[in-house]
Amino acid sequence: MATNRPNRNNRNNKLLGYLESRKNLTGSACGITGLALTFAGVAGAYWPFVVAGLYGAGALLAPPERPPLPDFPDPSAQLDAVRWDFGKLRSYLADVELPPAAAGRLTELTELLAALLDPGWVAEILARDPEGVHALSRAVRTDIPEAVDTFVRTRWWARLAPGTEAPERHLERQLALLHEEVSVLAASLRETEARRQESHTRYLEDRA
């Protein structure tokens, strides 16, 4: 009994779903048209076939049911999650000892990220740029942790093999590239606001 009840409920849900579907509603409307033709004396003795045929034609011509889109978080909610993860990243970086040059580049990068992620009008502009949110998410969650962690592990091996290329050079280069990428994003957001200002100027000029 317990196993049959879910199956019965599933069949009932499917039946109710079909009764409310566009196919059934459109087919029913066409079937009602067939009944009207029957009462008008047009269908004659073949009225059951006329009604069934019109119902079937209406069901076939009805647009298919469109399933609802997945409820993904909007860019603003995604930005909140990135901001939370950035806080965890800064806590992690505070416990890592880096050479002065790399530490300086990392500070420049994290300060730029903090300015972009700080709640306010800048974050509101960024939230309207899904690609920008994705770029920051990748930098915070993948690129920076990977660069720092790889440096820490490679530095240990470099001590066992002196004379090899210093791992901090790679770290400095990686941080410089990330800073350049985030700077390009910041410049793009600045240009967006500049275009918005220019558009408002043209609007006022045209209205005058």
Side-chain angles (χ1 to χ4, degrees):
M1 293 296 294
T3 57
N4 291 335
R5 186 174 301 171
N7 293 334
R8 188 181 303 115
N9 291 337
N10 190 28
R11 288 194 297 270
N12 291 338
N13 291 335
K14 289 183 178 180
L15 177 60
L16 290 175
Y18 179 76
L19 292 176
E20 298 174 352
S21 67
R22 298 177 183 177
K23 289 184 176 296
N24 181 57
L25 295 177
T26 305
S28 298
C30 293
I32 292 174
T33 302
L35 290 175
L37 294 175
T38 299
F39 292 136
V42 177
Y46 298 99
W47 69 269
F49 301 100
V50 173
V51 173
L54 287 175
Y55 175 88
L60 290 175
L61 293 175
E65 295 294 325
R66 184 173 63 87
L69 292 173
D71 186 18
F72 294 127
D74 58 22
S76 179
Q78 295 179 29
L79 193 59
D80 290 338
V82 175
R83 188 179 295 115
W84 173 263
D85 290 341
F86 180 62
K88 293 192 294 184
L89 174 64
R90 299 188 83 167
S91 298
Y92 160 72
L93 295 176
D95 295 331
V96 179
E97 182 181 352
L98 299 178
R105 289 192 178 276
L106 182 61
T107 298
E108 294 176 355
L109 176 58
T110 54
E111 288 179 352
L112 181 55
L113 288 170
L116 292 173
L117 291 171
D118 187 42
W121 64 271
V122 176
E124 292 174 1
I125 300 172
L126 180 59
R128 297 194 294 266
D129 182 5
E131 292 298 328
V133 174
H134 174 70
L136 289 190
S137 173
R138 183 177 56 199
V140 169
R141 294 169 173 165
T142 303
D143 294 334
I144 298 177
E146 178 67 15
V148 174
D149 183 62
T150 303
F151 164 76
V152 172
R153 289 184 284 115
T154 306
R155 180 177 56 180
W156 183 85
W157 286 104
R159 292 172 179 172
L160 300 181
T164 58
E165 185 177 8
E168 54 263 28
R169 293 182 181 177
H170 286 285
L171 177 61
E172 293 171 18
R173 180 59 179 155
Q174 292 168 6
L175 295 176
L177 291 171
L178 289 171
H179 187 275
E180 181 180 354
E181 182 178 327
V182 178
S183 297
V184 169
L185 173 60
S188 175
L189 297 176
R190 183 175 64 249
E191 291 175 2
T192 299
E193 285 300 283
R195 288 194 298 269
R196 179 184 176 187
Q197 185 184 38
E198 293 170 0
S199 298
H200 189 57
T201 300
R202 287 194 297 269
Y203 163 73
L204 294 176
E205 291 173 346
D206 294 341
R207 193 175 69 181

